[in-house]
Amino acid sequence: MSSIAFHTLGCKVNQYDTQAMRELFERAGYEIVDFHGAADIYMINTCTVTGTGDAKSMKLIRRIHREHPNAALIVCGCLAQRDAARVSLPGVRLVLGVKHRAQVVQLLERALREDMLVNAVDDQADWTFETLSVTRHEGKTRAVMKIQEGCDRYCAYCIIPYVRGPVRSMPLCEVINEAQHLADEGYQELVLTGIHLASYGRGTEHALVDAIRAVQQVPGVVRIRLGSLEPPLITDEFVQAILPMDKLCPQFHLSMQSGSAGVLGRMKRRYSPDEYLLAARRLRRAFPGCAITTDVLTGFPGETDEEANETLAFVQEVGFARIHVFPYSRRAGTVADALPDQVPEQVKRERAHQLIELGNQLETLYVKSLLETVQEVLFETTLSDGLCEGYARQYVRVLAAAQPGERKQIRITSTEGSTAYGIEV
């Protein structure tokens, strides 16, 4: 029996893809082992969103071959799709992009049988949604469902549309079947995700709200959480459609990138700060106390001190529950790579630091706002101090006395930074 180890860089979609391929190998009789130990085969699922993602991917491929020169390497994911030749290093036997993942076992076995490197990366013509099934999410009560793939937004800074392909969606009947299967396996919370989730159903008779409604009706599903959304999706009609769905968690990750109208225009984002603020207010009117989280990109080409300050002020005005901050990373082949006035790395880092500090303050304030409220907490992991870690519906980390898998009504009695503590009521 051959052994195989897995490592994932990047987003939740990559993590989902890795787990799906892991289960394919497991069903084929391979022994799954820890990535930090010895294995016959290593799979590295790469990321190319930023230069850092590229560097980490390449460094890891080289390190694994150096430490395990007789092992076979599978390199897959976005960097492999973008630059198969670059990742075809010594030891690599299979290069797999973001397609043909369902055939990964057969492709590897062909490479080993014929003693060759198999390049299974092809172009993006005639792509359809590749249904992958994940039945286990180790140690969790929450499972991720990838229901959408690809993106056609072509934001100026982003390489993803070039490597993930066009928009395509899991058929609604398969969404229902996958949700029911996961519920039957005991997963109480399902996270609906995709590369551009708001595009779910493009070219079909369905839209994202139909997928949410379908999962809402699946017996055994207790919570539904959504991946990243775009402000133009948050219309009055959309909000009114999701309002009756009591399983939907009141936490919305609303992609922002910048709070400056000038920067958003150069980024080719399809909304203004005013439109973003309107979307946030719609959600808060419908879901009082909901958590709104976001991503912010610092140091986009041409970003002035004034524009950076506009973003700081806008983040403060919206009052996010959490923000993820990323310094802009040049990506060859994107519009932004050719723009003038590239911002120095030190300036990017300084602006990112300011935003991170503000984000931490806002997160602390949001968690404090839950003091003395009663929250439904779904517990996941027992900690060494006897408490159990779980998450409120707003995706706030809560520690209390409980067992993994339990859902309890918890009164929040104290907070510390991003963590809340409580007792059962």
Side-chain angles (χ1 to χ4, degrees):
M1 178 189 296
S2 296
S3 59
I4 183 168
F6 298 83
H7 186 83
T8 307
L9 297 109
C11 64
K12 280 187 171 65
V13 174
N14 259 15
Q15 294 166 17
Y16 179 94
D17 292 342
T18 297
Q19 178 62 20
M21 290 186 282
R22 171 191 174 114
E23 292 187 20
L24 290 172
F25 276 101
E26 195 168 26
R27 287 197 289 273
Y30 288 74
E31 178 189 6
I32 311 301
V33 298
D34 189 271
F35 191 80
H36 300 291
D40 300 311
I41 306 155
Y42 293 86
M43 173 182 281
I44 299 170
N45 199 347
T46 62
C47 176
T48 192
V49 170
T50 65
T52 300
D54 282 3
K56 286 182 177 179
S57 298
M58 297 301 294
K59 182 179 180 181
L60 187 58
I61 296 166
R62 293 189 178 99
R63 179 174 69 79
I64 291 299
H65 178 62
R66 184 175 64 251
E67 294 177 356
H68 307 280
N70 296 320
L73 275 66
I74 304 169
V75 180
C76 57
C78 290
L79 179 58
Q81 179 69 40
R82 183 184 178 207
D83 197 343
R86 185 180 177 192
V87 302
S88 297
L89 298 173
V92 176
R93 307 303 294 273
L94 173 61
V95 179
L96 190 70
V98 295
K99 202 175 170 186
H100 307 306
R101 291 161 296 203
Q103 288 80 47
V104 62
V105 176
Q106 295 90 333
L107 288 167
L108 175 70
E109 290 179 348
R110 174 191 158 201
L112 297 177
R113 184 172 61 249
E114 298 179 9
D115 192 21
M116 62 183 292
L117 186 155
V118 170
N119 181 346
V121 175
D122 57 17
D123 62 32
Q124 299 176 2
D126 301 321
W127 282 24
T128 57
F129 186 84
E130 183 179 36
T131 298
L132 298 169
S133 180
V134 170
T135 62
R136 292 196 319 281
H137 298 254
E138 300 296 339
K140 298 290 186 182
T141 54
R142 183 171 62 252
V144 174
M145 277 181 59
K146 186 180 79 170
I147 66 170
Q148 185 275 336
E149 178 67 276
C151 182
D152 62 359
R153 301 289 90 179
Y154 291 96
C155 297
Y157 55 84
C158 188
I159 197 67
I160 292 303
Y162 302 92
V163 296
R164 279 283 179 174
V167 170
R168 51 226 193 261
S169 304
M170 176 185 280
L172 194 61
C173 60
E174 293 182 17
V175 171
I176 296 168
N177 291 340
E178 182 77 358
Q180 187 63 70
H181 177 74
L182 289 168
D184 292 343
E185 290 291 323
Y187 295 100
Q188 300 179 58
E189 180 178 312
L190 302 185
V191 184
L192 306 186
T193 190
I195 294 298
H196 190 259
L197 186 61
S199 294
Y200 176 85
R202 178 84 55 79
T204 75
E205 60 182 329
H206 300 298
L208 178 59
V209 69
D210 298 309
I212 303 169
R213 186 180 293 112
V215 178
Q216 161 82 19
Q217 296 169 356
V218 171
V221 175
V222 175
R223 289 181 176 182
I224 302 168
R225 202 175 294 280
L226 301 178
S228 182
L229 304 174
E230 295 281 315
L233 175 73
I234 313 300
T235 62
D236 286 330
E237 293 77 13
F238 177 81
V239 172
Q240 288 306 308
I242 65 174
L243 187 55
M245 300 181 194
D246 59 343
K247 296 179 182 180
L248 185 62
C249 290
Q251 180 247 328
F252 303 96
H253 190 82
L254 200 57
S255 181
M256 186 184 85
Q257 307 308 340
S258 176
S260 164
V263 174
L264 286 174
R266 296 197 299 277
M267 286 179 168
K268 300 189 181 299
R269 300 291 285 177
R270 304 186 186 194
Y271 52 85
S272 67
D274 286 345
E275 289 166 332
Y276 187 100
L277 194 57
L278 179 60
R281 286 171 175 166
R282 281 181 178 133
L283 289 170
R284 285 189 169 130
R285 281 197 301 269
F287 302 90
C290 68
I292 297 180
T293 61
T294 200
D295 303 307
V296 186
L297 196 64
T298 69
F300 187 77
E303 183 184 62
T304 64
D305 288 341
E306 181 181 359
E307 289 171 331
N309 287 333
E310 287 173 0
T311 293
L312 280 167
F314 190 74
V315 167
Q316 183 82 55
E317 181 179 10
V318 177
F320 292 103
R322 184 182 303 112
I323 64 174
H324 301 290
V325 181
F326 305 91
Y328 164 72
S329 180
R330 295 182 74 165
R331 302 280 77 198
T334 62
V335 171
D337 184 51
L339 290 177
D341 303 318
Q342 297 284 331
V343 177
E345 292 298 323
Q346 180 60 32
V347 175
K348 292 181 195 177
R349 287 194 293 270
E350 289 170 358
R351 291 175 182 172
H353 178 73
Q354 286 182 295
L355 279 163
I356 290 168
E357 287 294 308
L358 176 58
N360 289 339
Q361 294 169 23
L362 292 174
E363 185 173 9
T364 296
L365 285 174
Y366 182 79
V367 175
K368 279 185 177 179
S369 75
L370 301 182
L371 271 171
E372 297 306 320
T373 67
V374 175
Q375 302 294 329
E376 178 198 84
V377 180
L378 178 55
F379 288 94
E380 294 184 356
T381 308
T382 300
L383 304 180
S384 57
D385 57 5
L387 296 176
C388 197
E389 174 188 78
Y391 286 86
R393 288 165 59 86
Q394 301 91 333
Y395 204 58
V396 169
R397 181 174 182 257
V398 179
L399 303 186
Q403 295 297 318
E406 289 184 332
R407 271 186 304 124
K408 290 188 173 185
Q409 297 295 318
I410 300 293
R411 182 180 299 280
I412 306 302
T413 56
S414 65
T415 66
E416 183 178 335
S418 62
T419 302
Y421 296 82
I423 56 174
E424 185 177 7
V425 296

